[in-house]
PDB file of all heavy atoms in Angstrom:
ATOM      1  N   MET I 195      90.051  44.044-143.283  1.00 87.00           N
ATOM      2  CA  MET I 195      89.552  45.366-143.662  1.00 87.00           C
ATOM      3  C   MET I 195      88.125  45.585-143.178  1.00 87.00           C
ATOM      4  O   MET I 195      87.719  46.711-142.945  1.00 87.00           O
ATOM      5  CB  MET I 195      89.629  45.544-145.180  1.00 87.00           C
ATOM      6  CG  MET I 195      91.059  45.648-145.687  1.00 87.00           C
ATOM      7  SD  MET I 195      91.156  45.879-147.464  1.00 87.00           S
ATOM      8  CE  MET I 195      90.429  47.502-147.622  1.00 87.00           C
ATOM      9  N   ARG I 196      87.393  44.521-143.050  1.00 87.00           N
ATOM     10  CA  ARG I 196      86.012  44.630-142.573  1.00 87.00           C
ATOM     11  C   ARG I 196      85.925  44.032-141.175  1.00 87.00           C
ATOM     12  O   ARG I 196      86.137  42.836-140.998  1.00 87.00           O
ATOM     13  CB  ARG I 196      85.067  43.920-143.526  1.00 87.00           C
ATOM     14  CG  ARG I 196      84.918  44.691-144.826  1.00 87.00           C
ATOM     15  CD  ARG I 196      84.154  43.921-145.878  1.00 87.00           C
ATOM     16  NE  ARG I 196      84.229  44.576-147.164  1.00 87.00           N
ATOM     17  CZ  ARG I 196      85.277  44.550-147.978  1.00 87.00           C
ATOM     18  NH1 ARG I 196      86.358  43.899-147.638  1.00 87.00           N
ATOM     19  NH2 ARG I 196      85.252  45.177-149.135  1.00 87.00           N
ATOM     20  N   ILE I 197      85.629  44.890-140.225  1.00 88.00           N
ATOM     21  CA  ILE I 197      85.501  44.467-138.835  1.00 88.00           C
ATOM     22  C   ILE I 197      84.025  44.522-138.473  1.00 88.00           C
ATOM     23  O   ILE I 197      83.354  45.525-138.722  1.00 88.00           O
ATOM     24  CB  ILE I 197      86.329  45.368-137.908  1.00 88.00           C
ATOM     25  CG1 ILE I 197      87.823  45.203-138.220  1.00 88.00           C
ATOM     26  CG2 ILE I 197      86.047  45.063-136.451  1.00 88.00           C
ATOM     27  CD1 ILE I 197      88.723  46.114-137.422  1.00 88.00           C
ATOM     28  N   ASP I 198      83.544  43.447-137.876  1.00 86.00           N
ATOM     29  CA  ASP I 198      82.158  43.396-137.418  1.00 86.00           C
ATOM     30  C   ASP I 198      81.939  44.529-136.417  1.00 86.00           C
ATOM     31  O   ASP I 198      82.627  44.605-135.395  1.00 86.00           O
ATOM     32  CB  ASP I 198      81.900  42.042-136.764  1.00 86.00           C
ATOM     33  CG  ASP I 198      80.487  41.863-136.238  1.00 86.00           C
ATOM     34  OD1 ASP I 198      79.714  42.845-136.193  1.00 86.00           O
ATOM     35  OD2 ASP I 198      80.154  40.726-135.880  1.00 86.00           O
ATOM     36  N   PRO I 199      80.998  45.434-136.697  1.00 85.00           N
ATOM     37  CA  PRO I 199      80.763  46.557-135.789  1.00 85.00           C
ATOM     38  C   PRO I 199      80.480  46.118-134.346  1.00 85.00           C
ATOM     39  O   PRO I 199      80.816  46.828-133.401  1.00 85.00           O
ATOM     40  CB  PRO I 199      79.545  47.270-136.384  1.00 85.00           C
ATOM     41  CG  PRO I 199      79.528  46.871-137.816  1.00 85.00           C
ATOM     42  CD  PRO I 199      80.124  45.483-137.865  1.00 85.00           C
ATOM     43  N   GLN I 200      79.883  44.941-134.183  1.00 89.00           N
ATOM     44  CA  GLN I 200      79.606  44.450-132.835  1.00 89.00           C
ATOM     45  C   GLN I 200      80.873  43.977-132.128  1.00 89.00           C
ATOM     46  O   GLN I 200      80.862  43.795-130.915  1.00 89.00           O
ATOM     47  CB  GLN I 200      78.556  43.350-132.882  1.00 89.00           C
ATOM     48  CG  GLN I 200      77.214  43.859-133.357  1.00 89.00           C
ATOM     49  CD  GLN I 200      76.141  42.794-133.295  1.00 89.00           C
ATOM     50  OE1 GLN I 200      76.316  41.744-132.699  1.00 89.00           O
ATOM     51  NE2 GLN I 200      75.008  43.076-133.920  1.00 89.00           N
ATOM     52  N   ARG I 201      81.947  43.758-132.870  1.00 90.00           N
ATOM     53  CA  ARG I 201      83.219  43.318-132.278  1.00 90.00           C
ATOM     54  C   ARG I 201      84.234  44.450-132.169  1.00 90.00           C
ATOM     55  O   ARG I 201      85.274  44.286-131.548  1.00 90.00           O
ATOM     56  CB  ARG I 201      83.830  42.201-133.141  1.00 90.00           C
ATOM     57  CG  ARG I 201      83.081  40.916-133.170  1.00 90.00           C
ATOM     58  CD  ARG I 201      83.540  39.896-132.140  1.00 90.00           C
ATOM     59  NE  ARG I 201      84.977  39.745-132.090  1.00 90.00           N
ATOM     60  CZ  ARG I 201      85.700  39.891-130.963  1.00 90.00           C
ATOM     61  NH1 ARG I 201      85.127  40.175-129.831  1.00 90.00           N
ATOM     62  NH2 ARG I 201      87.010  39.746-130.986  1.00 90.00           N
ATOM     63  N   SER I 202      83.963  45.595-132.786  1.00 91.00           N
ATOM     64  CA  SER I 202      84.995  46.628-132.872  1.00 91.00           C
ATOM     65  C   SER I 202      85.434  47.146-131.502  1.00 91.00           C
ATOM     66  O   SER I 202      86.625  47.406-131.294  1.00 91.00           O
ATOM     67  CB  SER I 202      84.557  47.773-133.784  1.00 91.00           C
ATOM     68  OG  SER I 202      83.460  48.443-133.232  1.00 91.00           O
ATOM     69  N   ALA I 203      84.526  47.311-130.549  1.00 94.00           N
ATOM     70  CA  ALA I 203      84.920  47.793-129.217  1.00 94.00           C
ATOM     71  C   ALA I 203      85.828  46.781-128.523  1.00 94.00           C
ATOM     72  O   ALA I 203      86.841  47.161-127.911  1.00 94.00           O
ATOM     73  CB  ALA I 203      83.696  48.091-128.368  1.00 94.00           C
ATOM     74  N   ALA I 204      85.493  45.500-128.610  1.00 95.00           N
ATOM     75  CA  ALA I 204      86.329  44.467-127.985  1.00 95.00           C
ATOM     76  C   ALA I 204      87.697  44.387-128.662  1.00 95.00           C
ATOM     77  O   ALA I 204      88.725  44.219-127.995  1.00 95.00           O
ATOM     78  CB  ALA I 204      85.623  43.116-128.043  1.00 95.00           C
ATOM     79  N   ILE I 205      87.716  44.517-129.985  1.00 95.00           N
ATOM     80  CA  ILE I 205      88.987  44.500-130.714  1.00 95.00           C
ATOM     81  C   ILE I 205      89.830  45.701-130.300  1.00 95.00           C
ATOM     82  O   ILE I 205      91.035  45.570-130.047  1.00 95.00           O
ATOM     83  CB  ILE I 205      88.738  44.457-132.240  1.00 95.00           C
ATOM     84  CG1 ILE I 205      88.147  43.101-132.629  1.00 95.00           C
ATOM     85  CG2 ILE I 205      90.019  44.747-133.012  1.00 95.00           C
ATOM     86  CD1 ILE I 205      87.613  43.030-134.035  1.00 95.00           C
ATOM     87  N   ALA I 206      89.215  46.875-130.214  1.00 96.00           N
ATOM     88  CA  ALA I 206      89.943  48.072-129.789  1.00 96.00           C
ATOM     89  C   ALA I 206      90.521  47.893-128.388  1.00 96.00           C
ATOM     90  O   ALA I 206      91.680  48.259-128.136  1.00 96.00           O
ATOM     91  CB  ALA I 206      89.029  49.292-129.850  1.00 96.00           C
ATOM     92  N   ASP I 207      89.752  47.319-127.478  1.00 96.00           N
ATOM     93  CA  ASP I 207      90.246  47.078-126.118  1.00 96.00           C
ATOM     94  C   ASP I 207      91.439  46.127-126.130  1.00 96.00           C
ATOM     95  O   ASP I 207      92.419  46.347-125.407  1.00 96.00           O
ATOM     96  CB  ASP I 207      89.135  46.524-125.225  1.00 96.00           C
ATOM     97  CG  ASP I 207      88.092  47.566-124.856  1.00 96.00           C
ATOM     98  OD1 ASP I 207      88.338  48.783-125.040  1.00 96.00           O
ATOM     99  OD2 ASP I 207      87.005  47.160-124.390  1.00 96.00           O
ATOM    100  N   SER I 208      91.362  45.078-126.935  1.00 96.00           N
ATOM    101  CA  SER I 208      92.481  44.131-127.032  1.00 96.00           C
ATOM    102  C   SER I 208      93.720  44.802-127.613  1.00 96.00           C
ATOM    103  O   SER I 208      94.840  44.573-127.138  1.00 96.00           O
ATOM    104  CB  SER I 208      92.086  42.927-127.887  1.00 96.00           C
ATOM    105  OG  SER I 208      91.062  42.189-127.251  1.00 96.00           O
ATOM    106  N   LEU I 209      93.530  45.634-128.628  1.00 97.00           N
ATOM    107  CA  LEU I 209      94.664  46.349-129.216  1.00 97.00           C
ATOM    108  C   LEU I 209      95.266  47.333-128.207  1.00 97.00           C
ATOM    109  O   LEU I 209      96.492  47.443-128.104  1.00 97.00           O
ATOM    110  CB  LEU I 209      94.236  47.089-130.485  1.00 97.00           C
ATOM    111  CG  LEU I 209      93.946  46.216-131.696  1.00 97.00           C
ATOM    112  CD1 LEU I 209      93.334  47.049-132.823  1.00 97.00           C
ATOM    113  CD2 LEU I 209      95.206  45.501-132.171  1.00 97.00           C
ATOM    114  N   ARG I 210      94.430  48.021-127.467  1.00 96.00           N
ATOM    115  CA  ARG I 210      94.936  48.941-126.430  1.00 96.00           C
ATOM    116  C   ARG I 210      95.808  48.184-125.420  1.00 96.00           C
ATOM    117  O   ARG I 210      96.848  48.690-124.982  1.00 96.00           O
ATOM    118  CB  ARG I 210      93.786  49.617-125.694  1.00 96.00           C
ATOM    119  CG  ARG I 210      93.200  50.792-126.409  1.00 96.00           C
ATOM    120  CD  ARG I 210      92.162  51.517-125.534  1.00 96.00           C
ATOM    121  NE  ARG I 210      91.445  52.480-126.321  1.00 96.00           N
ATOM    122  CZ  ARG I 210      90.261  52.256-126.889  1.00 96.00           C
ATOM    123  NH1 ARG I 210      89.633  51.114-126.719  1.00 96.00           N
ATOM    124  NH2 ARG I 210      89.681  53.198-127.610  1.00 96.00           N
ATOM    125  N   ALA I 211      95.374  46.989-125.042  1.00 95.00           N
ATOM    126  CA  ALA I 211      96.145  46.189-124.078  1.00 95.00           C
ATOM    127  C   ALA I 211      97.505  45.810-124.652  1.00 95.00           C
ATOM    128  O   ALA I 211      98.528  45.887-123.952  1.00 95.00           O
ATOM    129  CB  ALA I 211      95.353  44.945-123.677  1.00 95.00           C
ATOM    130  N   VAL I 212      97.539  45.401-125.922  1.00 94.00           N
ATOM    131  CA  VAL I 212      98.819  45.068-126.564  1.00 94.00           C
ATOM    132  C   VAL I 212      99.710  46.296-126.610  1.00 94.00           C
ATOM    133  O   VAL I 212     100.901  46.230-126.274  1.00 94.00           O
ATOM    134  CB  VAL I 212      98.589  44.508-127.988  1.00 94.00           C
ATOM    135  CG1 VAL I 212      99.906  44.377-128.741  1.00 94.00           C
ATOM    136  CG2 VAL I 212      97.869  43.175-127.948  1.00 94.00           C
ATOM    137  N   LEU I 213      99.155  47.424-127.004  1.00 94.00           N
ATOM    138  CA  LEU I 213      99.950  48.646-127.105  1.00 94.00           C
ATOM    139  C   LEU I 213     100.442  49.098-125.736  1.00 94.00           C
ATOM    140  O   LEU I 213     101.582  49.571-125.608  1.00 94.00           O
ATOM    141  CB  LEU I 213      99.147  49.746-127.788  1.00 94.00           C
ATOM    142  CG  LEU I 213      98.819  49.482-129.264  1.00 94.00           C
ATOM    143  CD1 LEU I 213      97.888  50.561-129.803  1.00 94.00           C
ATOM    144  CD2 LEU I 213     100.081  49.371-130.096  1.00 94.00           C
ATOM    145  N   ALA I 214      99.628  48.960-124.702  1.00 92.00           N
ATOM    146  CA  ALA I 214     100.037  49.352-123.350  1.00 92.00           C
ATOM    147  C   ALA I 214     101.223  48.510-122.881  1.00 92.00           C
ATOM    148  O   ALA I 214     102.165  49.036-122.275  1.00 92.00           O
ATOM    149  CB  ALA I 214      98.861  49.215-122.386  1.00 92.00           C
ATOM    150  N   ARG I 215     101.195  47.210-123.176  1.00 89.00           N
ATOM    151  CA  ARG I 215     102.321  46.338-122.793  1.00 89.00           C
ATOM    152  C   ARG I 215     103.579  46.674-123.587  1.00 89.00           C
ATOM    153  O   ARG I 215     104.689  46.441-123.119  1.00 89.00           O
ATOM    154  CB  ARG I 215     101.966  44.875-123.021  1.00 89.00           C
ATOM    155  CG  ARG I 215     100.997  44.308-122.029  1.00 89.00           C
ATOM    156  CD  ARG I 215     100.915  42.791-122.113  1.00 89.00           C
ATOM    157  NE  ARG I 215     100.701  42.270-123.442  1.00 89.00           N
ATOM    158  CZ  ARG I 215      99.517  42.080-124.016  1.00 89.00           C
ATOM    159  NH1 ARG I 215      98.409  42.397-123.370  1.00 89.00           N
ATOM    160  NH2 ARG I 215      99.412  41.569-125.218  1.00 89.00           N
ATOM    161  N   SER I 216     103.400  47.209-124.774  1.00 83.00           N
ATOM    162  CA  SER I 216     104.531  47.468-125.666  1.00 83.00           C
ATOM    163  C   SER I 216     105.111  48.859-125.526  1.00 83.00           C
ATOM    164  O   SER I 216     106.144  49.151-126.117  1.00 83.00           O
ATOM    165  CB  SER I 216     104.089  47.274-127.118  1.00 83.00           C
ATOM    166  OG  SER I 216     103.613  45.960-127.323  1.00 83.00           O
ATOM    167  N   SER I 217     104.463  49.715-124.758  1.00 73.00           N
ATOM    168  CA  SER I 217     104.863  51.118-124.774  1.00 73.00           C
ATOM    169  C   SER I 217     105.690  51.570-123.581  1.00 73.00           C
ATOM    170  O   SER I 217     105.885  52.768-123.397  1.00 73.00           O
ATOM    171  CB  SER I 217     103.618  51.997-124.896  1.00 73.00           C
ATOM    172  OG  SER I 217     102.807  51.854-123.756  1.00 73.00           O
ATOM    173  N   ALA I 218     106.215  50.661-122.797  1.00 62.00           N
ATOM    174  CA  ALA I 218     106.969  51.050-121.605  1.00 62.00           C
ATOM    175  C   ALA I 218     108.156  51.950-121.952  1.00 62.00           C
ATOM    176  O   ALA I 218     108.449  52.897-121.231  1.00 62.00           O
ATOM    177  CB  ALA I 218     107.450  49.808-120.868  1.00 62.00           C
ATOM    178  N   ASP I 219     108.851  51.660-123.038  1.00 72.00           N
ATOM    179  CA  ASP I 219     110.018  52.453-123.453  1.00 72.00           C
ATOM    180  C   ASP I 219     109.713  53.330-124.655  1.00 72.00           C
ATOM    181  O   ASP I 219     110.609  53.730-125.375  1.00 72.00           O
ATOM    182  CB  ASP I 219     111.180  51.525-123.809  1.00 72.00           C
ATOM    183  CG  ASP I 219     111.664  50.730-122.608  1.00 72.00           C
ATOM    184  OD1 ASP I 219     111.655  51.294-121.504  1.00 72.00           O
ATOM    185  OD2 ASP I 219     112.026  49.558-122.787  1.00 72.00           O
ATOM    186  N   GLY I 220     108.458  53.615-124.909  1.00 87.00           N
ATOM    187  CA  GLY I 220     108.066  54.358-126.104  1.00 87.00           C
ATOM    188  C   GLY I 220     107.475  53.397-127.115  1.00 87.00           C
ATOM    189  O   GLY I 220     107.731  52.197-127.073  1.00 87.00           O
ATOM    190  N   LEU I 221     106.689  53.923-127.993  1.00 94.00           N
ATOM    191  CA  LEU I 221     105.953  53.084-128.931  1.00 94.00           C
ATOM    192  C   LEU I 221     106.011  53.666-130.329  1.00 94.00           C
ATOM    193  O   LEU I 221     105.769  54.856-130.518  1.00 94.00           O
ATOM    194  CB  LEU I 221     104.488  52.981-128.494  1.00 94.00           C
ATOM    195  CG  LEU I 221     103.508  52.317-129.455  1.00 94.00           C
ATOM    196  CD1 LEU I 221     103.828  50.837-129.618  1.00 94.00           C
ATOM    197  CD2 LEU I 221     102.081  52.507-128.953  1.00 94.00           C
ATOM    198  N   THR I 222     106.320  52.812-131.286  1.00 97.00           N
ATOM    199  CA  THR I 222     106.173  53.137-132.701  1.00 97.00           C
ATOM    200  C   THR I 222     105.232  52.105-133.295  1.00 97.00           C
ATOM    201  O   THR I 222     105.439  50.902-133.129  1.00 97.00           O
ATOM    202  CB  THR I 222     107.524  53.100-133.443  1.00 97.00           C
ATOM    203  OG1 THR I 222     108.377  54.109-132.898  1.00 97.00           O
ATOM    204  CG2 THR I 222     107.336  53.352-134.930  1.00 97.00           C
ATOM    205  N   GLY I 223     104.191  52.576-133.959  1.00 97.00           N
ATOM    206  CA  GLY I 223     103.248  51.699-134.630  1.00 97.00           C
ATOM    207  C   GLY I 223     103.426  51.797-136.126  1.00 97.00           C
ATOM    208  O   GLY I 223     103.563  52.900-136.673  1.00 97.00           O
ATOM    209  N   LEU I 224     103.430  50.658-136.792  1.00 98.00           N
ATOM    210  CA  LEU I 224     103.596  50.582-138.248  1.00 98.00           C
ATOM    211  C   LEU I 224     102.301  50.098-138.874  1.00 98.00           C
ATOM    212  O   LEU I 224     101.769  49.064-138.479  1.00 98.00           O
ATOM    213  CB  LEU I 224     104.706  49.601-138.612  1.00 98.00           C
ATOM    214  CG  LEU I 224     106.086  49.844-138.014  1.00 98.00           C
ATOM    215  CD1 LEU I 224     107.015  48.682-138.343  1.00 98.00           C
ATOM    216  CD2 LEU I 224     106.658  51.146-138.532  1.00 98.00           C
ATOM    217  N   SER I 225     101.810  50.830-139.864  1.00 98.00           N
ATOM    218  CA  SER I 225     100.532  50.490-140.490  1.00 98.00           C
ATOM    219  C   SER I 225     100.536  50.898-141.954  1.00 98.00           C
ATOM    220  O   SER I 225     101.148  51.906-142.323  1.00 98.00           O
ATOM    221  CB  SER I 225      99.395  51.216-139.767  1.00 98.00           C
ATOM    222  OG  SER I 225      98.162  51.032-140.424  1.00 98.00           O
ATOM    223  N   CYS I 226      99.805  50.143-142.765  1.00 96.00           N
ATOM    224  CA  CYS I 226      99.583  50.510-144.169  1.00 96.00           C
ATOM    225  C   CYS I 226      98.326  51.360-144.327  1.00 96.00           C
ATOM    226  O   CYS I 226      97.993  51.771-145.433  1.00 96.00           O
ATOM    227  CB  CYS I 226      99.491  49.263-145.039  1.00 96.00           C
ATOM    228  SG  CYS I 226     101.047  48.353-145.170  1.00 96.00           S
ATOM    229  N   LEU I 227      97.611  51.605-143.245  1.00 97.00           N
ATOM    230  CA  LEU I 227      96.411  52.440-143.200  1.00 97.00           C
ATOM    231  C   LEU I 227      95.248  51.919-144.027  1.00 97.00           C
ATOM    232  O   LEU I 227      94.371  52.698-144.407  1.00 97.00           O
ATOM    233  CB  LEU I 227      96.706  53.891-143.609  1.00 97.00           C
ATOM    234  CG  LEU I 227      97.576  54.707-142.686  1.00 97.00           C
ATOM    235  CD1 LEU I 227      97.588  56.164-143.148  1.00 97.00           C
ATOM    236  CD2 LEU I 227      97.134  54.624-141.244  1.00 97.00           C
TER     237      LEU I 227
END
């Protein structure tokens, strides 16, 4: 729940990469928000 602000951009980039690899046939993301 607490992300180091200095790491948030790198974490976002890593998540984007995972989502890009997963979205070839469409993407559904599941989250508790």
Side-chain angles (χ1 to χ4, degrees):
M195 291 181 66
R196 288 171 190 77
I197 295 176
D198 180 350
Q200 295 185 12
R201 293 267 313 125
S202 65
I205 291 169
D207 287 345
S208 295
L209 288 172
R210 279 187 190 96
V212 171
L213 293 174
R215 287 193 309 272
S216 301
S217 65
D219 296 324
L221 171 66
T222 297
L224 304 173
S225 174
C226 292
L227 293 188

